[in-house]
């Protein structure tokens, strides 16, 4: 949250401060055009304002947008270190109310941004991200402010923030990100396309000229070109045009395939891992640190597959391998419960997560070995990103219905469902950079993984991770 105090009783304004816009400084007068600029924001917050405005008879009633923003900021700063949810809720109400009172751009920027910070404290991640995006795109808040503010630390590690960065000005759009990753997988494709296209154009131009000479040679007459030489040149240029055209077409088709694969990998990166408490991180936060192996199928199959990895456990861990079990049986039960009772969605997902957490020996002895042995072990502080304790042998998928949908799409994409009785039981191995290295039906070949995957501290990992994908 961007705040600058101007005295205990003095007014403050929302301006551009030395750390960027959104900082409260000295209040400017309302501009006549401010009301028009906030119409869209009014629609955005009107629903929230209605929900949060409970009994206004005993609540502060501001006289202007400036007054509402100042009162909300004071409420947040006065409760710093011991904020109550009631105080934060009241601050959110005042910020939303300010947006309905014809605020200036500075006031709207502060209201939207600080409301996003307050919503983070309430774990309302999607609403918080929406407010920050609005402050950046519509009211010229600098993206660097949101990237550095400690009040948004928890939001920045979540999937909602990943999605928000694709929408904000100064961020990287989804298509641009996919194109960059696709080019990184084949860095010489673009130079090849330029070279082959140039040579192809030259060969086609030469073929056009030689065709005219060939026609003249066939007609004969005085000064006619040599027929044999003309036929030879025509054949050479025709072959060059066909060959270079084929090479260009091959690279273009290869690029389209890589883009489709990369799109699927970006969707996979958005799927979330349950880390306990209120912590969930998208899988992309683990990039560069683990090589996930997604095992999908019946409970019996998943248990058997994880137990089969026990003899290779130490070597697999040295290679950063972690398993993500997606148990189909419970996913189908969760889907059925959600269909019959839409309000049971959260209850069904929580029950599914609990059913997949290891109890006792769980999925093999290694799960129990990594489990905390004392209740005094505190979970990592939210907002600090992936910690060493998060990189477990067995990761718990969050919202497993989404994981199941991705696995089903991967089976269809990789042709794993064609004529296979065990198509429901599959595995997908992902590289450090998020590239899907391989997928297949049935049991993972753990011994082959040990042979193919270099240790994390290997030069091969640094230089070649992600190369050699066979989908």
């Amino acid at each position: 949250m961007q705040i600058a105090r101007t005295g205990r009783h003095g007014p403050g304004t929302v301006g551009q401060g030395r750390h960027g816009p959104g900082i409260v400084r000295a209040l400017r007068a309302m501009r006549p055009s401010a009301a028009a600029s906030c119409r869209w924001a009014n629609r955005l917050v009107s629903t929230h304002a209605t929900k949060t405005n409970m009994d206004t008879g005993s609540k502060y009633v501001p006289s202007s947008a400036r007054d509402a923003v100042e009162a909300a900021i004071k409420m947040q700063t006065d409760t710093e270190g011991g904020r109550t949810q009631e105080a934060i809720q009241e601050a959110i109400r005042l910020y939303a109310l300010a947006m309905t009172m014809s605020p200036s751009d500075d006031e709207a920027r502060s209201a939207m941004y600080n409301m996003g910070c307050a919503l983070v404290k309430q774990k309302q991640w999607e609403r918080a991200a929406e407010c920050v995006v609005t402050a950046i795109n519509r009211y010229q808040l600098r993206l660097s402010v949101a990237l550095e503010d400690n009040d948004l630390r928890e939001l920045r590690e979540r999937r909602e923030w990943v999605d928000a960065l694709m929408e904000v000005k100064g961020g990287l759009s989804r298509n641009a990100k996919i194109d960059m990753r696709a080019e990184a997988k084949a860095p010489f494709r673009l130079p090849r396309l330029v070279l082959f296209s140039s040579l192809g154009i030259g060969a086609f131009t030469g073929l056009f000229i030689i065709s005219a000479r060939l026609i003249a040679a066939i007609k004969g007459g005085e000064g006619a070109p040599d027929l044999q030489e003309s036929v030879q040149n025509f054949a050479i240029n025709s072959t060059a045009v066909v060959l270079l055209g084929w090479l260009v077409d091959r690279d273009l088709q290869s690029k389209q395939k890589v883009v489709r694969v990369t799109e699927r990998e970006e969707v996979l990166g958005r799927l979330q891992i349950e880390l306990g408490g209120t912590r969930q991180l998208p899988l992309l936060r683990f990039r560069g640190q683990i090589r996930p192996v997604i095992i999908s199928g019946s409970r019996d199959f998943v248990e058997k597959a994880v137990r089969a990895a026990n003899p290779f456990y130490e070597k697999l861990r040295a290679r950063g391998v972690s398993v993500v079990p997606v148990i189909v049986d419970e996913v189908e039960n969760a889907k059925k419960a959600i269909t019959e009772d839409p309000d049971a969605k959260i209850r069904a997902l929580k029950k599914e997560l609990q059913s997949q957490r290891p109890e006792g020996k769980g999925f093999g002895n290694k799960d129990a070995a990594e489990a905390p042995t004392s209740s005094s072990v505190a979970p990592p502080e939210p907002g600090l990103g992936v910690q060493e304790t998060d990189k477990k042998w067995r990761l718990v998928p969050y919202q497993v219905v989404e994981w199941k949908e991705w696995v089903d799409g991967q089976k269809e994409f990789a042709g794993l469902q064609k004529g296979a009785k065990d198509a429901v039981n599959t595995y997908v191995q992902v590289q450090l950079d998020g590239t899907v290295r391989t997928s297949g039906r049935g049991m993972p070949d753990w011994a082959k993984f040990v042979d193919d995957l270099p240790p994390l501290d290997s030069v091969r990992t640094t230089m070649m991770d992600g190369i050699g994908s066979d989908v």
Side-chain angles (χ1 to χ4, degrees), residues 304-379:
K304 184 178 179 181
V306 178
R307 283 198 301 269
N310 284 347
F312 310 97
Y313 173 77
E314 296 296 338
K315 292 182 179 179
L316 288 170
R317 294 301 283 158
R319 288 155 175 76
V321 173
S322 294
V323 297
V324 184
V326 179
I327 301 176
V328 176
D329 308 350
E330 281 76 9
V331 173
E332 295 304 321
N333 292 338
K335 282 185 177 180
K336 182 177 179 182
I338 294 169
T339 302
E340 294 175 353
D341 180 9
D343 295 333
K345 182 175 181 179
I346 296 179
R347 296 196 303 272
L349 291 174
K350 286 183 177 179
K351 183 177 180 181
E352 164 63 13
L353 290 173
Q354 291 172 357
S355 69
Q356 291 196 24
R357 290 194 180 95
E359 296 179 4
K361 292 186 178 180
F363 292 95
N365 296 331
K366 304 305 177 185
D367 291 338
E370 289 195 350
T373 58
S374 170
S375 59
S376 62
V377 179

Side-chain angles (χ1 to χ4, degrees), residues 430-463:
V430 184
Q431 293 286 69
L432 289 174
D433 63 355
T435 300
V436 175
R437 176 179 171 272
T438 185
S439 58
R441 294 190 293 260
M443 197 74 64
D445 189 343
W446 299 111
K448 192 173 189 306
F449 286 171
V450 171
D451 292 339
D452 292 347
L453 301 176
L456 290 178
D457 57 359
S458 168
V459 175
R460 284 178 56 202
T461 295
T462 305
M463 302 296 295

Side-chain angles (χ1 to χ4, degrees), residues 183 186-196 251 255:
E183 290 299 329
F188 300 110
R189 182 188 295 115
L190 182 59
R192 285 202 310 267
L193 282 171
V194 173
L195 176 62
F196 295 155
D251 268 346
K255 180 179 180 180

Side-chain angles (χ1 to χ4, degrees), residues 134-380:
T134 303
I136 294 173
N137 289 351
R138 193 166 184 84
Y139 299 109
Q140 291 76 53
L141 177 77
R142 290 181 185 173
L143 177 59
S144 60
V145 175
L147 292 174
E148 298 170 2
D149 194 342
N150 282 336
D151 279 355
L152 298 181
R153 189 175 62 181
E154 289 185 63
L155 175 63
R156 285 196 296 268
E157 71 176 10
R158 296 188 58 85
R159 179 169 72 177
E160 291 81 2
W161 181 252
V162 175
D163 294 340
L165 287 178
M166 297 180 185
E167 301 177 17
V168 298
K169 295 177 181 177
L172 190 64
S173 70
R174 179 176 178 273
N175 290 337
K177 186 175 182 181
I178 290 173
D179 287 342
M180 288 180 62
R181 290 198 66 209
E183 290 299 329
K185 292 180 180 180
F188 300 110
R189 182 188 295 115
L190 182 59
R192 285 202 310 267
L193 282 171
V194 173
L195 176 62
F196 295 155
S197 298
S198 300
L199 292 175
I201 292 173
F204 183 80
T205 304
L207 181 63
F208 181 78
I209 296 172
I210 291 172
S211 297
R213 290 175 60 84
L214 179 61
I215 294 173
I218 293 174
K219 289 180 176 180
E222 186 178 353
D226 181 71
L227 179 60
Q228 183 177 357
E229 181 183 357
S230 298
V231 170
Q232 183 178 0
N233 290 336
F234 181 84
I236 292 173
N237 280 268
S238 298
T239 303
V241 168
V242 172
L243 177 61
L244 291 170
W246 176 78
L247 291 173
V248 170
D249 182 67
R250 185 191 63 171
D251 268 346
L252 290 176
Q253 290 187 12
S254 174
K255 180 179 180 180
Q256 292 175 359
K257 181 180 178 180
V258 171
V259 167
R260 291 196 301 271
V261 171
T262 305
E263 287 175 345
R264 290 196 48 74
E265 292 169 353
E266 287 303 304
V267 174
L268 174 62
R270 293 183 71 256
L271 300 181
Q272 301 183 92
I273 297 295
E274 169 68 34
L275 298 175
T278 60
R279 295 188 71 220
Q280 300 94 31
L281 292 183
L283 190 63
L284 64 84
R285 296 299 186 200
F286 290 84
R287 286 179 181 172
Q289 304 183 63
I290 68 168
R291 292 183 172 107
V293 177
I294 303 166
I295 304 176
S296 175
S298 65
R299 176 173 287 277
D300 290 341
F301 168 76
V302 172
E303 289 177 347
K304 184 178 179 181
V306 178
R307 283 198 301 269
N310 284 347
F312 310 97
Y313 173 77
E314 296 296 338
K315 292 182 179 179
L316 288 170
R317 294 301 283 158
R319 288 155 175 76
V321 173
S322 294
V323 297
V324 184
V326 179
I327 301 176
V328 176
D329 308 350
E330 281 76 9
V331 173
E332 295 304 321
N333 292 338
K335 282 185 177 180
K336 182 177 179 182
I338 294 169
T339 302
E340 294 175 353
D341 180 9
D343 295 333
K345 182 175 181 179
I346 296 179
R347 296 196 303 272
L349 291 174
K350 286 183 177 179
K351 183 177 180 181
E352 164 63 13
L353 290 173
Q354 291 172 357
S355 69
Q356 291 196 24
R357 290 194 180 95
E359 296 179 4
K361 292 186 178 180
F363 292 95
N365 296 331
K366 304 305 177 185
D367 291 338
E370 289 195 350
T373 58
S374 170
S375 59
S376 62
V377 179

Side-chain angles (χ1 to χ4, degrees), residues 376-397:
S376 62
V377 179
E381 183 181 352
L384 296 180
V386 177
Q387 306 297 299
E388 284 300 319
T389 54
D390 296 331
K391 294 179 278 188
K392 303 175 183 178
W393 164 242
R394 179 179 181 279
L395 300 175
V396 179

